Amino acid sequence: MRYMPDALMKIRERFGPELHLLHDVHHRLLPREAAEFAKAVEPARLYWLEDPTPADDQDALKLLRQHSTVPVAIGEVFNSIWDCNKLI
């Protein structure tokens, strides 16, 4: 949470705005941490932030969206249409 915002900004500054910059969090953050982290990486203009919280935690995703505009990729752990029906 402390290292990656600066690291992502350095990558963005080095390679410019055309690079599709992604970061996979692997479901490791608590909802509050995910919201804080997403807000912190906004200046790096990520293409997406992947799996900041568990995909089935709708409240965490709502909190994240209330605090950040970073695009979120989520759901690769879903195995059927029924797993993602809440997201849809």
Side-chain angles (χ1 to χ4, degrees):
M1 293 225 5
R2 288 179 287 187
Y3 174 78
M4 285 311 298
D6 288 336
L8 291 166
M9 275 308 299
K10 287 177 183 173
I11 294 167
R12 174 59 67 217
E13 290 165 1
R14 168 71 173 88
F15 293 100
E18 299 304 316
L19 179 70
H20 292 298
L21 191 55
L22 321 169
H23 182 61
D24 193 344
V25 184
H26 300 290
H27 315 281
R28 291 184 176 134
L29 300 177
L30 298 173
R32 181 197 56 76
E33 293 171 332
E36 180 183 341
F37 183 77
K39 187 69 175 171
V41 300
E42 279 182 357
R45 296 181 321 278
L46 295 182
Y47 192 69
W48 73 54
L49 181 64
E50 188 171 346
D51 296 325
T53 63
D56 60 350
D57 188 346
Q58 294 294 298
D59 290 333
L61 293 172
K62 182 178 178 182
L63 179 70
L64 176 67
R65 188 49 57 221
Q66 290 171 341
H67 292 277
S68 178
T69 59
V70 170
V72 174
I74 202 157
E76 70 184 358
V77 297
F78 292 160
N79 296 309
S80 76
I81 189 68
W82 304 113
D83 291 335
C84 64
N85 81 10
K86 287 182 184 177
L87 290 177
I88 294 172

